[in-house]
Amino acid sequence: MTAEESDGYWVDVADLMAIEEGIPLPVEVGKRRIAFFRINDEVFATDEICSHDNASLADGYLDDGCIECPLH
């Protein structure tokens, strides 16, 4: 699995098999923190930090396909 950084090149960030079903995987790419999620054999990615309270979404949990911040 790769992620594109702002300067336009691709970087390996995680082995696809490291992303377990329903368990968030936090990854740092340069200065960015990304959380990967596997739901029904599909992989999704989002900013790893909650925009409301600077909490790690990887410490949260998945609820019916939605990531729930640990502080909400």
Side-chain angles (χ1 to χ4, degrees), residues 12-54:
D12 288 336
V13 295
D15 184 303
L16 186 59
M17 299 312 293
I19 306 170
E20 297 181 50
E21 180 77 24
I23 301 174
L25 176 69
V27 175
E28 284 193 39
V29 180
K31 295 178 183 177
R32 257 190 115 155
R33 292 171 60 179
I34 302 168
F36 290 93
F37 307 89
R38 183 186 294 267
I39 304 169
N40 299 325
D41 283 334
E42 290 187 86
V43 175
F44 300 89
T46 187
D47 285 328
E48 200 264 331
I49 300 298
C50 175
S51 61
H52 296 110
D53 204 0
N54 203 32

